[in-house]
Structure formats: C-alpha cells, structure tokens
Amino acid sequence: MPADPLHRAGSPQRSATSPPPARAAASAVEVRRSARRRRTVSAYREGNRTVVLIPARMSEAEEQRWVSVMLDKLAAQESKRVLGDSELAERAKRLSEQFFDARARPTSVRWVTNQNTRWGSCTPAGGSIRLSHRLQGMPEYVVDYVLLHELAHLLVPGHGPRFWRLLDAYPRTERARGYLEGVAAADRLPHLPAAREE
C-alpha cells in the first residue's frame, strides 16, 4: 500500500495523523416498514441498535440508500455533542477491544488545540494519543477512524503492510479518509468575498 496521505514522514517513535497535503463499526440496524408511513423516514438509537422507520412501499434499493442517509444523519447529530477527554478515552478502549482484541492500550487519550495541521498524533513509547480539536463536530465514524489510526500505531509504529492490515478491519476507513481529504481541500480553497447587497 502507498504511504499514508494522512501522515507526514517522521521518526518511528511518533506518528501524526494530518490532513493530506488527505462503516463505524455499525451497530445492528433494524428496518421497520409501515403501511401508514407515506413519505417520511426517521431513525433513532435503541440500545446497541439503530431503528430506521420507512414506508412499506419502498424498494430494497431505496431502503439501502435511506438506511445509509439516516445512519450518517444520526452520527452527525451525535457528534455535535463534544466528547470530553474521559469519554474519548472510553471510546478508544471500546474501539481497541472491537478491532484490535484490546491489544492497543493507550495511557492517555485527549483533545488538544495545538494541532492545526494534524488530525491526531501518537507517541507509541509513552502510549499517549492526542486528537485535534478540529475533529470535534465531525461525524462519529471520522473520529473513530482517527482514533483507530492512532491506536494502530501503538501496535505498529510505521505505515507498512502490517499497519494497514490492522486498519482493514474498520469498514469505514476509505470513507473517513475521503471525508478528511475533503475538509483539508476545502480549507485550501480561496475564500470568496461576501456578495454585495444591491
């Protein structure tokens, strides 16, 4: 696999997820069809599953599209609530258990405000992970990807094939990377002057 576009070259002691010069493990989804429901689609979390309510007449293709849309919408709503450092550490622990058999054990996971050119960084020797405050408000699957990326560096410091095999377990890796690439590209666009009022 080619070099990680989210990272800069650096010492093997420290890695950094950066915007490139750049599914969360889905809970169970239950689709409920209703003959009374005509046009609206809604979704909510119920324990460890997501319930999506759709009209009974919807085709399978429409159902799949709407499930994806509603999962993204819920994730966006949930990500607006800023996680504290302790919640972030708990999330990292759950991700490590789910994807790395709990082998990645950070000593600390926290938000930082001094990483404006990186999404996250990890010091494998000390076990610390830091995420840029710029990730706050991004979809949950994006934050999870950056956390997993840095957790993977606790197990494999570089970006070789072993590292990428670890991340292959996360089903939304490519989507999250694409999202971060889009954010980074938008940041580089020239800002247009405000429209003049006539």
Side-chain angles (χ1 to χ4, degrees):
M1 176 171 277
D4 179 12
L6 296 178
H7 275 70
R8 292 185 184 143
S11 110
Q13 302 292 336
R14 183 180 178 96
S15 75
T17 311
S18 62
R23 275 177 184 228
S27 60
V29 176
E30 178 183 335
V31 175
R32 295 182 187 165
R33 291 175 174 265
S34 169
R36 292 176 38 189
R37 192 174 280 270
R38 297 282 176 228
R39 288 187 294 236
T40 61
V41 176
S42 61
Y44 60 92
R45 303 282 191 209
E46 189 175 79
N48 285 336
R49 68 183 166 162
T50 303
V51 177
V52 181
L53 307 170
I54 65 172
R57 63 175 174 69
M58 252 187 206
S59 69
E60 289 294 318
E62 288 175 309
E63 175 184 317
Q64 288 178 1
R65 184 177 72 82
W66 275 106
V67 165
S68 179
V69 165
M70 297 311 289
L71 287 173
D72 285 348
K73 191 173 186 176
L74 280 174
Q77 288 170 352
E78 291 166 351
S79 70
K80 287 180 182 172
R81 186 179 73 81
V82 175
L83 300 174
D85 287 349
S86 62
E87 293 168 304
L88 197 60
E90 183 57 36
R91 188 178 198 137
K93 180 181 176 199
R94 282 195 317 269
L95 289 168
S96 176
E97 289 168 356
Q98 185 173 0
F99 293 98
F100 303 144
D101 298 322
R103 290 177 298 129
R105 296 185 186 119
T107 56
S108 69
V109 182
R110 62 191 173 94
W111 296 107
V112 294
T113 57
N114 63 348
Q115 291 190 99
N116 293 318
T117 60
R118 303 174 182 188
W119 296 119
S121 61
C122 169
T123 307
S128 63
I129 292 175
R130 295 156 306 280
L131 296 190
S132 171
H133 72 287
R134 295 174 61 223
L135 288 164
Q136 293 172 340
M138 289 189 188
E140 199 172 86
Y141 72 92
V142 175
V143 175
D144 285 352
Y145 166 71
V146 176
L147 270 174
L148 277 167
H149 190 111
E150 301 310 334
L151 285 165
H153 279 303
L154 294 177
L155 304 173
V156 180
H159 290 107
R162 239 178 88 218
F163 174 84
W164 291 112
R165 278 194 299 275
L166 286 173
L167 284 181
D168 282 345
Y170 185 58
R172 295 184 107 179
T173 290
E174 289 307 313
R175 187 170 187 180
R177 288 177 62 161
Y179 186 97
L180 294 171
E181 287 173 357
V183 169
D187 285 347
R188 291 191 301 269
L189 290 174
H191 296 284
L192 299 175
R196 285 185 285 167
E197 290 183 27
E198 307 226 356

